[in-house]
Amino acid sequence: MKDPDHGEKPSESGASAAGRSEARVGAPRGGKGKRRRRKPSGSPPAIASGSGPSGEAGRPAALNDAEPSRKRKRRRRSKSAKLQATSAASGASTPAQDPALSDKKGGRKRNWKARHRRGLQGRPLATASNPPANSRQGGRPVERSGEAARPRSGETPQQQARSERLGAPFVEPTDPPAPLYAALDLGTNNCRLLIAQPTRPGQFRVVDAFSRIVRLGEGLGASGRLSDDAMERSVEALKVCAAKLGARSIRRRRLIATEAARAAANGEAFMKRVAEETGLELEIIDRETEARLAVSGCSSLVDRETKSVVLFDIGGGSSEIAVIRIGENRSSRLANHITHWTSLPVGVVTLSERHGGEHVTPQSFEMMVREVEAMLAGFESPSVDVLASGSYAESFHLIGTSGTVTTLAGVHLDLPRYDRRRVDGLWLSDDEVSAMQARLLSWDFAARAANPCIGPDRADLVLAGCAILEAIRRRWPSTRMRVADRGLREGLLTDMMADDGAWRRGRPRRHQRSFGPPPAGEERVKRHEGTEA
């Protein structure tokens, strides 16, 4: 009889065994490999009589020599798995197998990670004699019986089924979530809140934020008291902050009030009203503390190569200026390098009320600059020649943290909408700052209000802030200035996290463990939910 593909069909005699052996050799294995070249039918390979260095028992020795070592190892693993299955059926205790290690299509096709004895995450599979480290609960080893762990009392049926399937115990999460910190700043013009959690050393992730223009210091310069309308606006904003704080478990929080509450005759009475109506107890800080907090909030924007900086915070009722000289040994807290500081009793709200903020001419603008220059004349500090002398010449610059400098940066970038990510940390040259100030001075009130980075709420304040900035630039000329969209809130958060050791080495970044008992009047975080602001 003739076979259409192979000519004469061999008879069912001694050649049949050789023919079946050739058929096995030529057939592709696993559905993937290339078809192996057939041996000549006239010389059937010899069958090895036993296992030895030349190959496995029952396998042709010549084939073991020609076959790649990877496939020989795969065959041995397959044979070992069959032996383990046989021993398990006879009652022997074997470690549980991951479903990823099970054979597919009759044992011919195997997962890549299963072939290399790797788990789902690329780790070597555990054996019965070496259980994985995560097979503990509450610090005690999990009891095992046979292939699966005993069910725990707090384990749901679905979790128990998964444990039996994977041969791994149910482990409840024991690490607490990262602690939350809150900082609130009630200033002369704004009410701001930040809720954040520590991440990398010196940094944190914002969980929630709030900011509203309240103009608490409106009319303060003329009357010396906080007006009823201003206090009402501030209380309504603080109620929103109280609701946000009450919705979360906060480990530590610090709530401060600055120049308006500090200078007003009825500032203390207003703080009592806030406590009664909102439940928030605000702390009126002094000017030195305000200057140090402004420096702490901007510490991450001072490069390692920087040796001297003049940092200023133009507020609504006051302006803080700090001279920082770092030298060779830099402290972990930038505020420790402050050599001179001052707080000017003038801000964008008070200066615009005295000189007018809606209609500003070049003459009135120059009058505002000279008024601030007169205040700076009494501040004894190193001159710019001393700060930028010698090796410090290229490492001296200004850092501005206020709505004034961020507004200038937004106008400079011609943003259709203010974007903090593009503004914070931006470098501006001296010529660019001068050009932006001249551009704003050429606009009328309507043009300033129409700009998306200024808006109607700040249109009457921005030129007063530019006048304060111009006086600082004349006192400390610098070729560049860095913009910081951050301030007292960031300084408060940085100090609280540093005091708690939230960034100590060896602690997890995201899920910090307990920091010990919280101070009196403070809560330990129990839960965390929210989105990044």
Side-chain angles (χ1 to χ4, degrees), residues 76-149:
R76 289 170 189 152
R77 293 194 192 102
S78 178
K79 187 173 182 179
S80 176
K82 291 179 181 178
L83 291 176
Q84 291 178 1
T86 305
S87 62
S90 63
S93 176
T94 58
Q97 295 289 334
D98 194 299
L101 299 181
S102 60
D103 292 343
K104 298 180 181 180
K105 295 184 180 180
R108 292 177 299 173
K109 188 173 182 179
R110 300 171 63 84
N111 182 271
W112 184 88
K113 293 183 179 178
R115 291 202 305 268
H116 294 271
R117 306 294 293 169
R118 294 279 169 175
L120 296 178
Q121 299 300 325
R123 293 184 293 272
L125 296 176
T127 61
S129 60
N130 184 25
N134 63 351
S135 61
R136 295 175 177 268
Q137 182 172 355
R140 297 169 295 181
V142 177
E143 300 176 358
R144 289 180 177 271
S145 176
E147 294 185 357

Side-chain angles (χ1 to χ4, degrees), residues 321 342 344 371-380 471-472 475-476:
I321 302 172
T342 187
L344 306 180
E371 179 179 339
V372 180
E373 281 184 313
M375 297 179 183
L376 285 174
F379 175 41
E380 296 182 0
I472 295 173
R475 174 68 184 268
W476 293 281

Side-chain angles (χ1 to χ4, degrees), residues 430-471:
D430 185 63
D431 293 338
E432 289 172 339
V433 176
S434 300
M436 288 304 103
Q437 288 186 167
R439 183 179 178 185
L440 291 178
L441 191 58
S442 65
W443 291 351
D444 58 8
F445 177 82
R448 296 195 301 270
N451 187 276
C453 294
I454 302 175
D457 292 332
R458 299 188 58 86
D460 60 334
L461 304 176
V462 63
L463 286 176
C466 289
I468 300 175
L469 171 61
E470 180 62 23

Side-chain angles (χ1 to χ4, degrees), residues 345-395:
V346 62
V348 295
V349 176
T350 54
L351 194 62
S352 64
E353 287 181 350
R354 284 202 292 267
H355 296 271
E358 292 190 7
H359 306 287
V360 180
T361 63
Q363 292 75 21
S364 60
F365 180 81
E366 185 64 27
M367 290 178 61
M368 288 190 285
V369 174
R370 291 181 180 179
E371 179 179 339
V372 180
E373 281 184 313
M375 297 179 183
L376 285 174
F379 175 41
E380 296 182 0
S381 69
S383 64
V384 69
D385 295 333
V386 175
L387 295 175
S389 62
S391 59
Y392 296 168
E394 296 298 327
S395 61

Side-chain angles (χ1 to χ4, degrees), residues 334-345:
L334 187 64
N336 294 339
H337 295 286
I338 298 176
T339 60
H340 302 77
W341 70 274
T342 187
S343 179
L344 306 180

